[in-house]
Amino acid sequence: SQKIEQNSEALNIQEGKTATLTCNYTNYSPAYLQWYRQDPGRGPVFLLLIRENEKEKRKERLKVTFDTTLKQSLFHITASQPADSATYLCALENYGGSQGNLIFGKGTKLSVKP
Amino acid sequence: DTEVTQTPKHLVMGMTNKKSLKCEQHMGHRAMYWYKQKAKKPPELMFVYSYEKLSINESVPSRFSPECPNSSLLNLHLHALQPEDSALYLCASSQAGLGSTEAFFGQGTRLTVV
């Protein structure tokens, strides 16, 4: 069955450093991969979408890579700030879904210390 | 308007009660979703509506009954729930064909079943 893993449940870093979060998947050949941010008690907020033919995508301080050979995506936040503290979820389209729906990894809780 | 509005924000209900969760969007999205999220877990898909028709039901118990009265509204009717149904219920919408486009999530309804 399809499986999405975010290896780190939690990541603690110092302000100003680069945070790198990992998302691995198995039994999958996704055409797209998405990253969301979720704050406690709130709905996820879309950050970035990367397609299988894109190696890298950037948005301000965010960068996502997508390696279909390794079946892995890396999510980077450069010059991290305490306001970046949140849970970050990777998501893939459910394989075979006729309409398409997202399944999520368990998330990585990022804490950025001042 | 890029918002998905969910009401109520919080709901406490007894196991014999009947209540409804409501979701509204005015982005012209023709796909709408209900997700359930337990504490420290990722969102899990419950239902997908595409062009106001139910297209996916992820084996959800019949005590949860979705309804899509029109393209802007999505309801979730609740009846005879169990305490283990307590969770954050998230509504989302997207252009049809989720996976290739971003999903917009509401703030969720925090449901407590007593």
Side-chain angles (χ1 to χ4, degrees):
Chain A
S1 62
Q2 305 138 18
K3 199 171 178 183
I4 305 171
E5 286 184 344
Q6 294 185 249
N7 297 340
S8 301
E9 276 195 25
L11 178 65
N12 299 313
I13 64 168
Q14 206 66 32
E15 183 176 6
K17 301 292 188 185
T18 296
T20 298
L21 286 62
T22 305
C23 177
N24 294 293
Y25 57 92
T26 56
N27 299 328
Y28 240 128
S29 294
Y32 314 90
L33 186 146
Q34 301 187 25
W35 284 88
Y36 288 78
R37 168 183 173 142
Q38 188 172 26
D39 291 286
R42 303 176 78 87
V45 174
F46 172 81
L47 295 174
L48 281 167
L49 179 150
I50 187 165
R51 294 174 170 75
E52 61 178 341
N53 60 350
E54 296 176 319
K55 291 278 192 274
E56 179 180 300
K57 200 146 189 189
R58 293 176 185 259
K59 179 182 173 182
E60 298 172 354
R61 293 184 294 111
L62 308 181
K63 183 177 86 171
V64 171
T65 62
F66 193 11
D67 189 326
T68 54
T69 303
L70 293 178
K71 295 186 181 294
Q72 182 181 82
S73 175
L74 298 179
F75 177 81
H76 307 273
I77 306 176
T78 58
S80 59
Q81 303 166 0
D84 295 326
S85 299
T87 295
Y88 291 85
L89 302 161
C90 71
L92 293 166
E93 184 169 9
N94 194 14
Y95 184 72
S98 58
Q99 170 55 39
N101 62 80
L102 290 175
I103 59 172
F104 289 86
K106 289 185 178 179
T108 296
K109 185 175 181 180
L110 175 67
S111 296
V112 181
K113 305 294 184 190
Chain B
D1 183 3
T2 58
E3 277 196 2
V4 175
T5 304
Q6 288 188 246
T7 55
K9 287 188 169 43
H10 301 274
L11 178 62
V12 179
M13 61 184 290
M15 290 187 284
T16 59
N17 290 160
K18 284 186 182 180
K19 296 286 184 184
S20 296
L21 309 185
K22 297 187 183 300
C23 174
E24 189 169 4
Q25 58 88 14
H26 296 287
M27 292 178 279
H29 291 164
R30 302 309 295 273
M32 296 185 76
Y33 311 79
W34 281 113
Y35 280 84
K36 173 182 177 179
Q37 187 174 26
K38 302 280 276 185
K40 298 188 188 300
K41 298 286 188 186
E44 292 184 351
L45 183 72
M46 300 176 70
F47 301 105
V48 179
Y49 272 84
S50 175
Y51 294 91
E52 295 86 69
K53 290 190 181 350
L54 183 64
S55 62
I56 296 177
N57 175 342
E58 290 287 344
S59 303
V60 180
S62 60
R63 56 186 185 268
F64 295 91
S65 175
E67 179 196 20
C68 190
N70 60 55
S71 59
S72 299
L73 294 174
L74 187 66
N75 298 323
L76 185 63
H77 303 297
L78 315 173
H79 174 55
L81 295 193
Q82 305 296 310
E84 59 264 29
D85 295 322
S86 298
L88 182 68
Y89 287 84
L90 294 163
C91 173
S93 72
S94 73
Q95 297 173 12
L98 185 63
S100 61
T101 67
E102 65 183 284
F104 291 80
F105 283 84
Q107 295 302 310
T109 295
R110 173 70 62 188
L111 174 67
T112 303
V113 181
V114 296

